[in-house]
């Protein structure tokens, strides 16, 4: 099968997220890396792109040059990944969608709800995929959780509890560290720090697994380090449209926590627990029975889990493989679109622009609620109310 052509904006040398995308996109052989604008410094970006194997004429100096260079090529890229600083996501994604490209955008998709609604509308009008990289939803056992909930193994879902708490910004002496400082600066980060950075991952995973959308929330947000304007810890109470109660804690000052993304789901007839730091095990407690451990890669799991498990049982699964599952979903969607067929339902799980929009609406709702002593606020984007 002919490989799809893939391009990347951002994610240059020394980037935290760039290598994970390049590993993920290339893992299954579905995409060929053919074009990029990797750095805000044009010459460094061009040179790095060529060291990664790009042809000189497709190692671009900036995203505008890449857009002009790719738009009229017969062999232009099928998918563009946007992995630039947050404030640039909207403009780049918008311009590439308008030019007829499929886009995978890093989170947050936009900086405002209005921008998010515009992206959703543009993607629909153009008939193009706009995906958002909530990459943790690519883990095999997260998808198995979703399948178990959907087929009724837990009965009606009563409660979901999500956490994304780490301690890597707990040192007040790091206040002037540029890699940390920008995250808590409203001029660069917007209205929220920790919730916009990590909390929306936990929120998306909760919504993804239970198959319900957030309706309203009440938030307690604090800056545990006094010099910070934006929050470094938040506790959020949530209500979903299917009646499920949600609890979400996110923090950057939880010393002793490393990554800290966990999800627990409690229904009428059972409960599930999963942690991103131990992704090979899913803990399942049926009502009135013994605790069971479901292992990634074992037999008789759901089609969604089987499709996204590449290595044999007992071997570690990591973040680049979860990213690879998002890219695998997108490859299936793009190929199905090219020939006008339906895509494999087990692959139809990639996060959409609508998910990015809902996340941004939640960010603003958390900021509003936190500023008003936890008042309950509507967390839905206006276009979905």
């Amino acid at each position: 099968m002919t490989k799809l052509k893939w391009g990347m904006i951002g994610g240059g040398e020394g980037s935290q997220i760039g290598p994970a995308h390049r590993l993920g996109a290339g893992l299954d052989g579905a995409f060929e890396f053919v074009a990029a604008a990797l750095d805000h410094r044009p010459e460094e970006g061009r040179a790095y792109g060529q060291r990664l194997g790009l042809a000189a004429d497709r190692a671009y100096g900036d995203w505008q040059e890449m857009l002009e260079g790719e738009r009229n090529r017969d062999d232009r890229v099928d998918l563009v990944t946007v992995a630039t600083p947050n404030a640039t996501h909207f403009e780049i994604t918008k311009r590439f969608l308008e030019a007829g490209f499929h886009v995978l955008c890093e989170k947050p998709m936009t900086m405002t709800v209005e921008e998010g609604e515009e992206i959703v509308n543009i993607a629909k009008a153009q008939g193009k995929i706009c995906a958002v990289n909530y990459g943790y939803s690519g883990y095999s056992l997260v998808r198995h959780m979703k399948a178990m909930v959907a087929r009724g193994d837990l009965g009606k879902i009563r409660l979901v509890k999500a956490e994304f708490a780490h301690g890597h910004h707990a040192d007040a002496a790091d206040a002037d560290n540029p890699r940390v400082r920008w995250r808590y600066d409203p001029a660069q980060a917007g209205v929220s720090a920790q919730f916009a950075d990590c909390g929306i991952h936990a929120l998306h995973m909760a919504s993804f697994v239970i198959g319900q959308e957030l309706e309203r929330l009440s938030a307690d947000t604090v800056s545990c380090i006094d010099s910070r304007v934006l929050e470094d810890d938040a506790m959020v109470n949530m209500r979903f449209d299917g009646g499920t109660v949600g609890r979400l804690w996110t923090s950057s000052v939880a010393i002793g926590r490393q990554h800290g993304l966990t999800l627990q789901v409690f229904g009428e007839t059972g409960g599930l627990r999963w942690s991103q730091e131990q992704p090979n095990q899913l803990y399942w407690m049926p009502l009135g029975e013994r605790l069971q451990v479901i292992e990634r890669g074992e037999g008789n799991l759901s089609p969604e889990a089987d499709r996204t498990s590449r290595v044999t049982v007992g071997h570690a699964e990591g973040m680049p493989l979860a990213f690879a599952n998002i890219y695998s979903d997108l490859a299936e969607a793009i190929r199905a679109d090219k020939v006008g067929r339906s895509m494999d339902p087990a692959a139809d799980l990639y996060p959409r622009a609508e998910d990015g929009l809902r996340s941004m609406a939640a960010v603003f709702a958390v900021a509003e609620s936190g500023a008003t002593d936890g008042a309950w606020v509507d967390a839905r984007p206006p276009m979905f109310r």
Side-chain angles (χ1 to χ4, degrees):
M1 185 177 293
T2 303
K3 288 187 178 183
L4 299 169
K5 293 176 174 57
W6 175 63
M8 188 174 194
I9 302 169
E13 191 167 18
S15 163
Q16 178 182 358
I17 204 69
H21 277 285
R22 288 188 287 274
L23 286 167
L27 191 63
D28 294 316
F31 289 99
E32 179 184 5
F33 183 35
V34 298
L38 295 169
D39 201 299
H40 67 281
R41 300 163 298 176
E43 293 310 314
E44 284 82 351
R46 290 189 182 100
Y48 186 51
Q50 290 179 65
R51 289 200 300 275
L52 291 176
L54 299 181
D57 65 336
R58 300 183 85 173
Y60 298 102
D62 57 42
W63 68 264
Q64 294 95 334
E65 183 182 298
M66 179 171 165
L67 178 61
E68 291 308 310
E70 291 294 314
R71 68 160 75 233
N72 295 318
R73 293 183 68 109
D74 292 335
D75 61 346
R76 74 184 206 163
V77 293
D78 295 291
L79 175 69
V80 176
T81 292
V82 179
T84 54
N86 295 355
T88 67
H89 290 176
F90 168 68
E91 182 182 9
I92 300 172
T93 298
K94 175 183 176 181
R95 292 283 300 279
F96 274 84
L97 286 171
E98 288 174 337
F101 292 91
H102 300 299
V103 177
L104 169 61
C105 183
E106 262 299 332
K107 47 66 59 181
M109 182 178 75
T110 61
M111 296 294 285
T112 71
V113 176
E114 292 77 15
E115 289 174 348
E117 292 189 333
E118 187 173 350
I119 291 296
V120 168
N121 288 330
I122 291 170
K124 286 182 178 178
Q126 294 291 330
K128 295 300 175 182
I129 294 167
C130 181
V132 183
N133 191 42
Y134 292 108
Y136 303 113
S137 65
Y139 276 102
S140 178
L141 288 180
V142 171
R143 296 187 168 196
H144 188 60
M145 292 175 79
K146 180 179 179 66
M148 290 180 70
V149 169
R151 70 193 185 195
D153 293 5
L154 285 74
K156 180 178 174 59
I157 304 303
R158 294 168 171 165
L159 175 67
V160 60
K161 182 175 184 288
E163 296 182 358
F164 198 156
H166 65 82
H168 299 301
H169 300 162
D171 189 350
D174 271 344
D176 291 324
N177 181 339
R179 292 180 64 88
V180 176
R181 184 180 62 231
W182 75 268
R183 299 174 185 273
Y184 303 93
D185 177 5
Q188 298 182 74
V191 299
S192 170
Q194 180 59 20
F195 186 81
D197 187 26
C198 295
I200 58 174
H201 274 298
L203 171 59
H204 176 265
M205 184 174 287
S207 181
F208 175 79
V209 167
I210 68 173
Q212 299 178 35
E213 302 295 349
L214 178 64
E215 283 194 331
R216 56 196 179 98
L217 60 78
S218 167
D220 178 20
T221 59
V222 295
S223 299
C224 294
I225 294 179
D226 293 338
S227 62
R228 290 174 176 162
V229 177
L230 299 176
E231 88 287 349
D232 51 25
D233 189 278
M235 182 68 76
V236 186
N237 290 312
M238 305 176 291
R239 299 294 186 270
F240 290 86
D241 59 6
T244 295
V245 173
R247 314 290 190 202
L248 189 155
W249 173 48
T250 186
S251 182
S252 64
V253 295
I255 296 174
R257 296 281 292 254
Q258 294 301 323
H259 190 264
L261 178 59
T262 64
L263 186 70
Q264 298 178 81
V265 183
F266 305 101
E268 295 172 320
T269 58
L272 291 167
R273 174 167 54 90
W274 180 85
S275 171
Q276 191 265 345
E277 293 179 43
Q278 290 84 39
N280 273 15
Q281 288 80 39
L282 172 62
Y283 294 89
W284 162 230
M285 175 69 87
L287 181 66
E289 299 182 28
R290 292 182 180 275
L291 178 67
Q292 301 175 24
V293 181
I294 298 171
E295 292 280 349
R296 184 211 51 78
E298 68 182 22
N300 300 314
L301 297 185
S302 61
E304 294 85 348
D306 290 340
R307 183 183 181 276
T308 52
S309 186
R310 293 173 182 77
V311 294
T312 54
V313 64
H315 292 83
E317 178 186 43
M319 185 187 78
L321 276 75
F323 278 33
N325 288 331
I326 302 295
Y327 278 99
S328 177
D329 293 347
L330 290 170
E332 167 64 11
I334 292 168
R335 284 175 169 150
D337 179 70
K338 281 177 176 285
V339 300
R341 63 169 173 81
S342 298
M343 67 179 297
D344 180 354
D348 194 9
L349 296 174
Y350 63 89
R352 267 72 166 175
E354 289 82 355
D355 297 303
L357 169 59
R358 290 183 187 278
S359 294
M360 188 48 55
V363 166
F364 277 83
V366 165
E368 177 185 348
S369 179
T372 53
D373 294 326
W376 283 89
V377 299
D378 195 326
R380 298 170 297 174
M383 71 185 298
F384 293 152
R385 293 182 185 178

